[in-house]
Amino acid sequence: MVAPSPRKRKPQTRKKRMSARIVEEYQLRHEKVAGIDIAKATGMICLRLPPEDAAGKRVSKVWEAGATVPEIEVVAAGLLAAGVELVSMESTSDYWRSWFSTLEEAGLQVQLVNASQARNLPGRPKTDKSDAQWIARLTEMGMLRPSFVPPPEIRALRQYTRQLLHLTQDRTRCWQRLEKVLEDAMCKLTSVISKLAGSVSGRAMIEAMIAGERDPQSLADLALTRMRPKRPELVKAFTGMRFEDQHAFAAAVHLRAIDFLDAEIAALEAQAAAHVKAIPAAWGVDADGTTGPDAGLGPDAAVLPAAARLDEITGIGPLAAISLIAEIGLDMDRFPTPDALVSWAGLAPVADQSGPRKGRGKKGQGNGYARRLCTMAADSAAGTATFLGERHSRLASRPGGGGRRKANVAVGRSILIIVWHLLKDPRARYRDLGPDHYARHSDASRKIRGHIRQLEAPGLDVTVTPRQDAA
């Protein structure tokens, strides 16, 4: 019996996958580059160099280094000796900061890249070494878009303004916890006082309760100015409360924390204002051309200081103006158009289209600090007799328009566009269009005159007669 011959297998064609070989076929933009995959205590560096001979491939040198400043300085010296043109690194938490600053100070051109753009291809092994090689390959072909990293003086200002925001949030939490203490003691003071924070009368009543006062009428008599007519309601709020020793101790702790945070916040505000005055790009110019930290504050100034220019915008105060400068910087060349700045801040919808389907698109992530400042300024402008206030009212009242939240985003976008123009041209000044801007531009008589001028331009004689049935 003859044994059956083994069945021949049909050769299988391997599916084509995008690989590093395909990437190698792209045109090179930089001959000598480096990519760094950053961790907390180390960094994996990949140095990409030209081929050693005419027929060879490009050379990759990969090594690991510590993340301390002396070790990064050694890496910087090696990259400079190799003639590296560009260094790319992922924005990994806050670990990139020491690498970026040290390499930048050494004289290297460094770019920070969003991790979503430097992500490795799906299906490939995920290691620190392969990630560093991938970042280097994308860098040499110019396929990475650098993130915005402001200059050192603006980064220092950010440290002040962001810490100021965090301490303000901590203070708000202390007031909220104090309100919880009062509720636990069955004291309904916050039902009468709409806002406990900043209330002089409320503070006096709580301090009296901590000191041992429990009589509702005596506590209500501590009300001042506009709170005095509410004394009968305050008596009801204090009647039946169970404010014990543990509540007094907790309330005293929260008040001490609030006082401490008030002092720290005031110091930070002064420090941020002083730091802005020390930045030459933020200085104003007097009418005679004199510039300096205190220039540009007169009524006939040629150029206002940068913070004063932004302070003129409806809804933006002095502190918000300084905080915006800390987030977006003073050099608007980094953002070629106002739309680029709006998109960077996350106030523009992201495109969502596939074939005939077009989605509405959600707004991007962007810079959360700048977005928060603009939407808060828009919320402050709501209700004012200004163009921005009227625009906010029109958008908030639009049927199906999303209400106040979407109006804040839309008006915040308008505010950021105004900020771009004021920083792009230092001589520009904010001028409010007025709350009647929409009414003036939608006035019927103005439209009629405009149409008549258009018809008369070709040489026609136009006579307009109102209809008898017109309302």
Side-chain angles (χ1 to χ4, degrees):
M1 185 174 179
V2 181
S5 60
R7 190 172 64 179
K8 295 181 179 180
R9 293 183 178 179
K10 185 178 179 180
Q12 296 180 352
T13 57
R14 299 181 63 183
K15 293 181 179 179
K16 292 184 179 180
R17 281 186 176 179
M18 183 178 287
S19 63
R21 185 178 299 277
I22 296 177
V23 175
E24 290 281 5
E25 296 175 359
Y26 281 84
Q27 182 180 1
L28 294 177
R29 298 291 182 88
H30 306 283
E31 287 290 335
K32 299 178 181 181
V33 300
I36 305 178
D37 184 71
I38 298 172
K40 182 176 182 178
T42 60
M44 189 68 70
I45 302 99
C46 176
L47 175 61
R48 294 280 288 173
L49 299 172
E52 296 179 352
D53 53 63
K57 295 182 179 180
R58 291 179 60 78
V59 179
S60 292
K61 297 181 180 180
V62 185
W63 73 97
E64 188 177 37
T68 61
V69 173
E71 291 170 303
I72 299 175
E73 289 176 344
V74 173
V75 173
L79 297 180
L80 285 171
V84 169
E85 304 170 24
L86 182 61
V87 182
S88 296
M89 63 183 69
E90 284 184 353
S91 55
T92 307
S93 184
D94 285 330
Y95 306 144
W96 62 269
R97 298 184 184 277
S98 57
W99 287 88
F100 190 97
S101 299
T102 306
L103 296 179
E104 185 183 49
E105 291 171 1
L108 289 163
Q109 183 180 351
V110 191
Q111 66 177 6
L112 185 70
V113 181
N114 193 302
S116 63
Q117 295 193 20
R119 185 177 293 117
N120 211 330
L121 290 175
R124 301 191 65 202
K126 175 72 173 66
T127 63
D128 292 345
K129 180 178 178 180
S130 63
D131 286 348
Q133 290 174 326
W134 184 251
I135 294 172
R137 285 176 173 175
L138 295 178
T139 302
E140 67 188 10
M141 293 176 295
M143 297 179 66
L144 295 177
R145 184 172 58 186
S147 299
F148 171 58
V149 180
E153 64 271 12
I154 301 297
R155 296 205 296 266
L157 181 61
R158 270 189 183 181
Q159 189 70 27
Y160 293 125
T161 56
R162 291 187 177 183
Q163 187 179 8
L164 181 60
L165 170 63
H166 298 154
L167 291 185
T168 304
Q169 292 172 338
D170 291 339
R171 182 178 61 182
T172 302
R173 294 188 188 100
C174 287
W175 283 112
Q176 292 171 342
R177 292 175 185 135
L178 179 58
E179 183 176 353
K180 286 181 176 293
V181 170
L182 296 176
E183 290 294 330
D184 186 72
M186 293 183 284
C187 174
K188 306 301 291 183
L189 175 62
T190 54
S191 298
V192 182
I193 299 178
S194 58
K195 189 176 181 181
L196 192 59
S199 173
V200 178
S201 299
R203 175 72 182 248
M205 295 172 193
I206 294 172
E207 289 179 344
M209 292 161 62
I210 294 172
E213 182 62 62
R214 298 291 184 270
D215 180 59
Q217 187 62 55
S218 300
L219 292 172
D221 288 339
L222 296 174
L224 302 173
T225 59
R226 290 181 297 178
M227 288 298 298
R228 295 192 68 81
K230 296 184 178 181
R231 281 179 293 179
E233 300 175 37
L234 289 170
V235 171
K236 292 181 181 179
F238 290 122
T239 301
M241 68 177 181
R242 305 290 188 271
F243 198 84
E244 307 294 345
D245 292 342
Q246 68 271 22
H247 300 118
F249 182 83
V253 169
H254 292 315
L255 287 180
R256 287 197 298 269
I258 290 168
D259 291 339
F260 171 77
L261 290 172
D262 283 340
E264 295 301 316
I265 288 171
L268 270 174
E269 290 177 353
Q271 190 68 26
H275 188 85
V276 170
K277 293 180 67 174
I279 301 176
W283 292 349
V285 180
D286 289 330
D288 58 357
T290 304
T291 185
D294 298 318
L297 299 176
D300 56 346
V303 176
L304 287 180
R309 261 176 279 148
L310 302 190
D311 186 22
E312 290 186 334
I313 303 174
T314 307
I316 294 183
L319 182 58
I322 294 174
S323 300
L324 270 174
I325 291 173
E327 295 304 323
I328 66 179
L330 293 164
D331 184 13
M332 290 298 103
D333 291 338
R334 181 64 181 80
F335 304 100
T337 63
D339 290 339
L341 177 59
V342 169
S343 178
W344 172 83
L347 288 172
V350 178
D352 182 16
Q353 183 264 336
S354 177
R357 182 190 63 81
K358 293 184 179 180
R360 294 184 65 180
K362 297 181 179 179
K363 59 183 179 61
Q365 292 280 343
N367 183 292
Y369 292 94
R371 183 171 64 251
R372 178 181 180 274
L373 288 167
C374 291
T375 53
M376 287 182 61
D379 194 66
S380 299
T384 60
T386 60
F387 166 74
L388 293 175
E390 178 64 19
R391 174 170 167 76
H392 190 284
S393 300
R394 288 168 62 92
L395 293 172
S397 60
R398 180 184 297 173
R404 192 179 186 93
R405 290 184 62 184
K406 285 198 173 181
N408 287 345
V409 174
V411 177
R413 180 184 183 277
S414 300
I415 289 175
L416 197 55
I417 291 174
I418 296 171
V419 168
W420 185 90
H421 284 285
L422 292 178
L423 294 180
K424 182 69 174 179
D425 181 10
R427 294 185 176 275
R429 296 286 295 273
Y430 175 70
R431 180 178 62 85
D432 185 66
L433 298 177
D436 59 341
H437 175 78
Y438 289 107
R440 285 187 285 106
H441 284 74
S442 61
D443 182 70
S445 59
R446 292 173 62 92
K447 289 183 178 180
I448 293 171
R449 290 196 299 269
H451 290 308
I452 291 175
R453 282 196 297 268
Q454 292 178 7
L455 292 172
E456 290 176 343
L460 301 175
D461 291 330
V462 181
T463 303
V464 179
T465 304
R467 293 200 314 264
Q468 297 294 330
D469 58 344

